[in-house]
Amino acid sequence: DLRTASVDNYDLKYEFYPSASELISVSAFYKRFKDPIETVFVAGAGSGGAKTFTYGNAAFAENSGIELEVRKNLTGLTKSKFIDKLTLMLNASYINSKINLGDIAVGQSNQRPLQGQSPYLINTALFYNDAAKGLQVNLLYNVIGRRIAFIGFDGYPDIYEMPRNVVDINISKTISKKVTLKAYLNDVLNQEFMLLQDGNQDGKFDRNNDQIVAKYKTGRLFRFSITYRIF
């Protein structure tokens, strides 16, 4: 019974290129979703505390926000040769989201964002590139704002995925024209993935006092590779 969702997108963007490898971009956007698909609580289903969900179409949803993107070489900012080899990248967005459930708004609140939509996201990176030595080091950071993972109902608040800081490090070293070494260290901080519920419904998401639905650590991942070019 699901209907295919459709989206109208409107964007206004200003881009400036200080050099061939640099960028400053500011944009505003508006998105209107018709028949967005979300999980829907099945009233009266489930037993022993279990909750049953299915999928349904809301009437419509709206997302609006701003985005900033910057890519800047640090060459010439100081007299340091090390700083000259650095490039800074930033991508950040702020999003205001709201949904109208229409006929499926049974025991659910219309005063919430679209499921899965974060209010903000930040991606930053610092790149070091020494072409003469064949060495490149990338430091990357990512975080997203609190977002709905599972939609609740009256007496059972929405379950949110909480923000977690993610840091990755990539290193590449060219030994010769044919041999390249690469190392990857993903999720250096290894912060907890957490699903949290505002049990006392005070509008605050307290990791110490509110209900923790699930939490776990994904672990750090280290990879190392050697590439040899035959030709």
Side-chain angles (χ1 to χ4, degrees):
D1 295 328
L2 287 176
R3 299 181 299 277
T4 300
S6 61
V7 188
D8 293 324
N9 296 286
Y10 302 91
D11 296 271
L12 180 63
K13 178 180 289 189
Y14 172 79
E15 294 180 338
F16 175 64
Y17 298 88
S19 69
S21 60
E22 294 180 311
L23 166 67
I24 299 175
S25 172
V26 180
S27 62
F29 58 86
Y30 171 80
K31 304 177 186 292
R32 181 179 174 88
F33 301 78
K34 181 182 179 183
D35 298 325
I37 298 173
E38 293 190 311
T39 57
V40 180
F41 170 68
V42 181
S47 61
K51 304 296 184 293
T52 302
F53 296 85
T54 185
Y55 296 95
N57 293 100
F60 65 87
E62 294 176 309
N63 284 357
S64 59
I66 56 175
E67 180 180 9
L68 171 66
E69 184 175 1
V70 177
R71 183 180 179 92
K72 173 63 178 174
N73 292 330
L74 303 187
T75 303
L77 290 181
T78 68
K79 295 181 180 180
S80 169
K81 293 183 178 180
F82 175 81
I83 299 297
D84 286 346
K85 296 179 176 65
L86 295 177
T87 299
L88 178 66
M89 188 275 289
L90 167 68
N91 178 270
S93 298
Y94 169 79
I95 306 100
N96 179 51
S97 177
K98 57 183 179 180
I99 192 166
N100 188 304
L101 296 175
D103 295 336
I104 67 172
V106 178
Q108 299 186 44
S109 171
N110 270 325
Q111 305 301 315
R112 62 169 177 81
L114 182 68
Q115 180 187 15
Q117 178 61 65
S118 297
Y120 67 86
L121 63 89
I122 299 174
N123 293 295
T124 62
L126 187 63
F127 304 106
Y128 174 82
N129 186 20
D130 189 333
K133 295 182 179 179
L135 177 64
Q136 182 169 340
V137 181
N138 302 331
L139 177 64
L140 304 100
Y141 168 78
N142 166 263
V143 65
I144 61 173
R146 185 179 65 227
R147 61 185 179 182
I148 296 178
F150 300 98
I151 300 168
F153 52 92
D154 287 343
Y156 191 78
D158 299 329
I159 298 173
Y160 279 81
E161 177 187 343
M162 300 301 291
R164 59 188 298 266
N165 299 291
V166 180
V167 174
D168 299 327
I169 301 174
N170 303 329
I171 303 173
S172 175
K173 171 64 176 176
T174 300
I175 303 300
S176 66
K177 292 182 178 180
K178 291 188 175 183
V179 180
T180 303
L181 306 180
K182 293 184 179 180
Y184 307 87
L185 183 56
N186 299 115
D187 203 357
V188 177
L189 302 179
N190 192 26
Q191 291 189 343
E192 284 184 332
F193 173 90
M194 181 179 291
L195 297 179
L196 196 64
Q197 191 176 44
D198 183 18
N200 55 18
Q201 301 187 43
D202 61 355
K204 301 177 182 178
F205 287 80
D206 190 327
R207 297 171 186 257
N208 296 318
N209 297 317
D210 284 321
Q211 279 65 37
I212 297 175
V213 177
K215 68 174 181 178
Y216 58 87
K217 291 186 176 182
T218 58
R220 300 177 181 88
L221 175 64
F222 176 74
R223 293 178 294 155
F224 178 78
S225 68
I226 302 175
T227 302
Y228 180 81
R229 296 183 178 86
I230 297 178
F231 301 105

